[in-house]
Amino acid sequence: MSDRSQVWPEEMDSADRVRHVALTRTTPRNAGWIAEEADVSRDTAVKYLDRMADQGDLEAIETADGTCYKPDEITQFLREVRSLAEEQSVDELTNELRTIGEEIDSWKSTYNVESLEKLRQSIGREDLSADDRRERLEVIEEWEYNIQVREALQLAISLQSSLTRLDADPRLANRGSDTLPQEG
């Protein structure tokens, strides 16, 4: 178990605790570890973990520690896209894209590079100090993250557009409609 003892809210049942522990890991963990963190038996953890893996929420991988579980990256990414599409307007998503573009442009200018790949290559320059290399490595990590967020934002805009064309925009459902419902 972790150094701190987790205090679970009363309304969280064993399935909720296992789900929370499993989906908030960045490192794959085995059922015993997750069971201990979630304060459930190993058998209970395995039951819920296998169910989550079958549903696509988790990926089960074989490691030296046996079967370990980690959040499925594709499922998490698609949930993020859906969340962005449901919670933000096209203008808000577009503004976030603009901000990311400006940040990437500033890095290109600051480090005199044309791409993320060129920035990676610049790490090997002999004239850089250790601090300069460390700073560039941090920017590379942030640039990679921005690319991932940019892709999610672009897909969210596309999803909103598709839902609007299908008259299925979830954000419009609560606003009422001036049109009559369609029959059968």
Side-chain angles (χ1 to χ4, degrees):
M1 189 157 175
S2 62
D3 294 357
R4 60 182 171 77
S5 179
Q6 177 74 40
V7 177
W8 296 103
E10 285 183 36
E11 64 273 5
M12 282 187 88
D13 64 12
S14 56
D16 291 335
R17 294 192 309 266
V18 169
R19 175 175 284 285
H20 175 78
V21 171
L23 291 177
T24 58
R25 298 304 102 190
T26 55
T27 304
R29 298 293 184 165
N30 65 30
W33 189 93
I34 293 171
E36 194 172 325
E37 289 290 312
D39 195 25
V40 298
S41 72
R42 186 184 184 289
D43 289 343
T44 298
V46 167
K47 175 177 78 172
Y48 293 123
L49 292 167
D50 286 344
R51 186 178 300 162
M52 290 172 67
D54 289 343
Q55 293 170 342
D57 293 329
L58 293 177
E59 183 179 342
I61 56 174
E62 292 301 321
T63 70
D65 294 329
T67 302
C68 289
Y69 301 87
K70 69 175 189 155
D72 180 77
E73 293 174 11
I74 294 171
T75 301
Q76 300 292 31
F77 179 76
L78 292 174
R79 280 191 179 134
E80 178 64 21
V81 168
R82 181 178 181 171
S83 176
L84 288 167
E86 290 177 344
E87 296 170 6
Q88 295 189 35
S89 70
V90 171
D91 288 341
E92 290 169 325
L93 296 169
T94 303
N95 282 334
E96 287 188 46
L97 282 172
R98 180 186 48 76
T99 300
I100 288 172
E102 289 172 354
E103 188 169 34
I104 289 173
D105 287 345
S106 98
W107 291 326
K108 287 178 178 179
S109 175
T110 299
Y111 299 106
N112 196 27
V113 295
E114 297 172 14
S115 66
L116 176 58
E117 185 62 32
K118 294 291 183 188
L119 183 58
R120 280 192 182 105
Q121 291 172 354
S122 76
I123 298 297
R125 287 188 9 208
E126 291 182 19
D127 63 329
L128 293 180
S129 69
D131 286 342
D132 289 339
R133 281 190 187 87
R134 222 177 342 273
E135 178 183 313
R136 286 176 188 235
L137 287 169
E138 288 172 8
V139 168
I140 288 169
E141 189 175 309
E142 196 167 341
W143 195 329
E144 289 170 338
Y145 175 75
N146 276 351
I147 289 170
Q148 187 177 23
V149 171
R150 182 177 63 197
E151 290 172 5
L153 291 166
Q154 290 168 332
L155 284 171
I157 290 170
S158 179
L159 177 60
Q160 271 193 12
S161 176
S162 295
L163 291 174
T164 300
R165 280 193 304 273
L166 295 172
D167 199 25
D169 187 337
R171 293 173 304 112
L172 300 177
N174 296 332
R175 295 183 187 164
S177 174
D178 295 332
T179 61
L180 297 173
Q182 298 293 315
E183 287 188 23

